[in-house]
Amino acid sequence: MRTLEDLRETLDRHAGDTPADGRLLPDVRGRAARLRRRRTITRGVALGAAVAVAAGVSPFVLRSPSPDPAPAAGRTVTRTPAQTSIALADGSPFMILNRESTATGQHVTVRNIGDVQAKHPGEAGLNPGGEVLAFEPGAFDPETLRKGTPVTIGAHQGWYVPQLHVGAENSNFDGSWVGWRDETGMWVLVGTLGPSKRDDLVAVARDVRIVEASDAIAPIRLGWVPPGLKIQWASGNPSKTGGFGASFKLGYDGEKGPDLSYFPRRDAVTALALQVGSQSPDWLNYQHELDGQKPEKINGAEVWYLPRPNGLFDSPEPGADMIVRFGGCVATLHVRDRAQITEADLDRMLQNATLGTCDDAEDWQPLLD
């Protein structure tokens, strides 16, 4: 497996399962009671697959040569790359399935609750939902968007473009989009990876809210990391039976962080955590490759350290991979260079970690102190 596709492939295998409300990802401990009440719905995961359209899509750049001035009367939402601030209106017929955040923007996948719960999604003719992107002030050039068809989105003036590329060059966010400028100064876009009806996109857009930022959370909290490491990208998804899957990329100051849904290089550390049962395909795959290798015990967890190249992850030297099994979870730590971040460093990270469980998200916390 490739390290960046480890989580994606796992989530894709569960894409047909019914997901929990993605709004529970941030600040989950404060909403634990609501989580338990909603367990009448079988949990699942879905990760929106990027679908590229034919050449000729209008170009869209992330950085504006002359950023828009701040709104005359607005509010500010302060956010880090490990925080999300996209939510849906109370009573919305849609739900958030996964979240992704970087320093310059956020991405969530929104789907119709009725479709998610249906045995045969799409047959009822419901509005399917879409992808929501929110770019920090100055991180988005609205020129092409403003040439589209004007639409009204709540109290905002917006525009609709039937065929557009949004985000980094290789982000694969190609399709139909509506967009507007929120009073926070963020540019918010709702679209589908392909063609979509304008009215369907507007209906989703009217339910999108930019709220106070909340931390992405995981079943592991690292009390120590090598000096200078910071979260540059975070992603979280509901998993199949009530917990969550979470993924983080850590790097150093001066290194360009990942763009939304595009990873041009390996980061210093990639950390993933998934709910994995003893008979799940994911764990059985690990178990097959680890056969005969006795795990080390660190902080109550079973740990395997695999220098590259190894048979489990399709990654070249000089990196390394660590598999950590605890509390119904499997976490993986992938390092770009094992001379830069050593096995001893990874051991220290685990020795100083707080390990939760994957049968309930009530004890999940932000990844870093």
Side-chain angles (χ1 to χ4, degrees):
M1 284 184 287
R2 287 170 287 179
T3 56
L4 292 178
E5 292 187 355
D6 185 21
L7 178 64
R8 290 175 181 270
E9 292 176 0
T10 297
L11 296 175
D12 287 342
R13 278 195 289 273
H14 303 306
D17 301 317
T18 305
D21 188 339
R23 287 171 287 183
L24 294 171
L25 173 61
D27 197 21
V28 73
R29 287 191 295 175
R31 306 183 189 182
R34 190 182 308 172
L35 173 65
R36 287 188 287 271
R37 286 196 298 270
R38 291 182 181 180
R39 282 183 178 166
T40 54
I41 300 176
T42 305
R43 265 51 170 186
V45 292
L47 185 63
V51 180
V53 297
V57 176
S58 302
F60 227 72
V61 298
L62 277 171
R63 293 288 178 185
S64 171
S66 55
D68 290 334
R75 57 189 177 87
T76 301
V77 172
T78 302
R79 190 185 64 83
T80 72
Q83 293 180 317
T84 181
S85 61
I86 299 175
L88 295 175
D90 289 341
S92 173
F94 305 101
M95 59 175 21
I96 293 175
L97 297 189
N98 71 278
R99 297 176 180 273
E100 178 189 7
S101 59
T102 70
T104 56
Q106 307 168 65
H107 165 221
V108 303
T109 295
V110 173
R111 293 292 181 265
N112 193 295
I113 297 173
D115 263 353
V116 169
Q117 296 176 352
K119 291 184 178 180
H120 304 287
E123 288 189 357
L126 300 173
N127 183 337
E131 310 300 317
V132 181
L133 303 175
F135 293 96
E136 297 298 312
F140 180 77
D141 184 351
E143 180 181 0
T144 306
L145 177 68
R146 283 174 161 165
K147 294 177 182 178
T149 303
V151 294
T152 300
I153 301 170
H156 300 99
Q157 169 66 60
W159 294 267
Y160 165 74
V161 181
Q163 193 174 21
L164 193 68
H165 174 79
V166 179
E169 181 180 355
N170 296 297
S171 66
N172 290 320
F173 288 126
D174 300 281
S176 304
W177 296 89
V178 297
W180 70 99
R181 194 179 186 207
D182 184 77
E183 57 266 25
T184 61
M186 293 183 183
W187 279 92
V188 185
L189 295 97
V190 175
T192 56
L193 306 180
S196 188
K197 297 178 181 178
R198 179 182 62 184
D199 290 349
D200 283 348
L201 298 179
V202 171
V204 177
R206 287 173 179 159
D207 281 357
V208 173
R209 303 287 186 269
I210 302 298
V211 300
E212 183 179 351
S214 297
D215 292 313
I217 56 174
I220 181 171
R221 183 175 179 88
L222 301 175
W224 178 88
V225 295
L229 277 182
K230 297 179 180 179
I231 295 174
Q232 296 183 328
W233 173 89
S235 179
N237 301 267
S239 72
K240 188 175 182 181
T241 55
F244 293 99
S247 180
F248 300 84
K249 295 177 73 64
L250 287 73
Y252 295 99
D253 285 337
E255 294 183 333
K256 182 184 181 299
D259 292 311
L260 290 174
S261 295
Y262 174 57
F263 314 103
R265 57 166 179 75
R266 306 243 176 233
D267 288 80
V269 177
T270 300
L272 304 95
L274 290 170
Q275 183 181 49
V276 176
S278 61
Q279 297 302 310
S280 72
D282 314 294
W283 174 244
L284 292 175
N285 181 46
Y286 287 145
Q287 199 171 38
H288 175 75
E289 295 294 336
L290 296 171
D291 186 36
Q293 300 186 45
K294 187 176 180 179
E296 183 181 359
K297 283 282 189 176
I298 300 178
N299 197 7
E302 294 182 317
V303 179
W304 293 263
Y305 180 75
L306 306 172
R308 298 177 189 161
N310 56 66
L312 193 55
F313 300 99
D314 182 18
S315 303
E317 292 191 86
D321 307 287
M322 180 173 275
I323 299 172
V324 186
R325 192 178 186 198
F326 62 95
C329 311
V330 167
T332 57
L333 298 172
H334 309 281
V335 301
R336 178 177 59 200
D337 185 341
R338 62 178 179 269
Q340 180 185 45
I341 299 175
T342 65
E343 181 180 6
D345 290 331
L346 293 178
D347 288 349
R348 184 177 175 184
M349 289 167 65
L350 291 178
Q351 288 163 356
N352 290 274
T354 301
L355 303 179
T357 61
C358 283
D359 56 353
D360 196 311
E362 190 170 356
D363 59 359
W364 286 40
Q365 302 178 61
L367 181 71
L368 300 183
D369 286 332

